[in-house]
Amino acid sequence: MTGLDSSKSKTSLIMTTKSDQPRRPVFFWLVLLTCVVYAGLFAFTIYAVARHYGVEKAPGWRGQTDGRVWFVSDVDDAGPAAGRIQLGDRLLAINGDERRAVIGVFEWRFVESGKTYRVDLDRRGERVSLELPLPLVPGQQVTPIFALVGLAFFVCGATLALLRPQEAQVRLVGAFLMSVGFVTLHQTLQATFSFLVGCCCASSMARRRSAIFRPTSTSCRRTSASGWRT
C-alpha cells in the first residue's frame, strides 16, 4: 500500500506541475509563423541581390504623370535617349503595349536588360517611334547593408516577443521592430524589382509582339497623330 500511495502521489505531483505551467499565448505562435515567413523572404532577397548586385537598368530618361497621361520629365544628357527623346514627349506605348501610357514605366520590369525596346511618343501632335537600348550601369552598392540592418531589427524584435509574449509593452516593441525588419527587407528587394519580371518573360512577349508588328527600320519614324505611315 505504501508503494501504491507513493506512486499516486508522484503522478499527482506531475499533473499538478503540468497544470501550473502557463499556456503559451497565441501571440507567441504568430511570432513563430512570422519568423518562418521572414526567413523565406530573406533567403529569396539574398538570392536576388546576389544575382543582380552592382548593376541597375538605365534607360536614360524618366517619366512623370499629371494624373491622366505620362510624359517625359527628364533626359540624361549622357544616356542612350539623349538627342532622341525630348522633354514633354507624351508616352503612348512601349513595345506596343499601350497600357504604359496609363500606368507608366515603373521599374522597367517589363523590358529585358541589355536589349532594345520600342517607345512610341506623341511630340506636338506627331507620333514618334524610337528603338532604344536598355543598358546596365553600376549601382546598388549599398543594397546588402539594408538587408543586414533589417535582419538585426527583426531578430531583436522576434527575440523580445518570444521571450516575454505575455507583456503588452514587450509585444508592442517586438512587433514594431519586426515591422521595421520587413520594411527594410522590402526596400532591399525593391532594388532588384526591375530584374524580377523582365528577365523571365520579356523575350516571349517580344516574340509574340514581333509577329504582329515588324518595324521597317530602327530609325526614328514620324507620322501624323492619326495613324502610321505605310
Side-chain angles (χ1 to χ4, degrees):
M1 294 295 293
T2 304
L4 183 60
D5 293 340
S6 176
S7 177
K8 288 183 178 180
S9 62
K10 288 181 180 180
T11 303
S12 175
L13 179 62
I14 293 174
M15 294 179 62
T16 303
T17 304
K18 289 184 177 180
S19 62
D20 290 341
Q21 292 180 352
R23 297 183 60 183
R24 298 189 185 278
V26 177
F27 182 78
F28 177 88
W29 302 109
L30 289 177
V31 172
L32 281 182
L33 178 61
T34 304
C35 290
V36 174
V37 174
Y38 184 88
L41 291 176
F42 186 83
F44 175 75
T45 301
I46 293 300
Y47 163 77
V49 170
R51 185 176 181 183
H52 305 292
Y53 174 71
V55 294
E56 59 185 8
K57 295 178 180 179
W61 62 278
R62 298 181 182 86
Q64 183 177 340
T65 181
D66 60 0
R68 297 179 296 107
V69 297
W70 281 78
F71 57 92
V72 178
S73 60
D74 182 63
V75 179
D76 185 0
D77 294 336
R84 307 192 69 186
I85 292 182
Q86 298 180 8
L87 294 177
D89 287 350
R90 183 167 65 87
L91 182 62
L92 298 179
I94 293 181
N95 284 339
D97 186 357
E98 296 184 352
R99 294 175 301 173
R100 298 298 158 188
V102 179
I103 62 179
V105 292
F106 177 71
E107 297 292 348
W108 290 91
R109 290 180 291 177
F110 53 94
V111 180
E112 188 174 359
S113 59
K115 301 296 181 65
T116 59
Y117 65 95
R118 191 180 78 254
V119 56
D120 298 325
L121 305 164
D122 179 85
R123 182 175 298 166
R124 295 182 293 275
E126 293 185 342
R127 184 160 186 149
V128 179
S129 180
L130 301 170
E131 295 279 345
L132 297 172
L134 186 61
L136 294 176
V137 298
Q140 306 184 49
Q141 302 297 328
V142 298
T143 300
I145 299 178
F146 282 102
L148 296 177
V149 171
L151 178 63
F153 272 96
F154 185 86
V155 170
C156 291
T159 302
L160 287 175
L162 291 174
L163 291 178
R164 303 168 69 178
Q166 296 87 358
E167 300 183 19
Q169 292 182 343
V170 175
R171 291 200 302 264
L172 182 62
V173 173
F176 172 76
L177 292 176
M178 287 189 293
S179 65
V180 173
F182 270 106
V183 171
T184 310
L185 188 65
H186 176 268
Q187 294 296 326
T188 305
L189 189 59
Q190 190 174 21
T192 63
F193 277 176
S194 61
F195 297 95
L196 297 182
V197 178
C199 291
C200 62
C201 64
S203 297
S204 60
M205 292 176 63
R207 285 195 295 268
R208 290 198 300 267
R209 288 167 181 163
S210 63
I212 300 174
F213 179 83
R214 296 182 181 276
T216 57
S217 66
T218 59
S219 61
C220 173
R221 294 179 299 145
R222 295 187 176 185
T223 65
S224 64
S226 60
W228 293 96
R229 184 177 61 186
T230 58

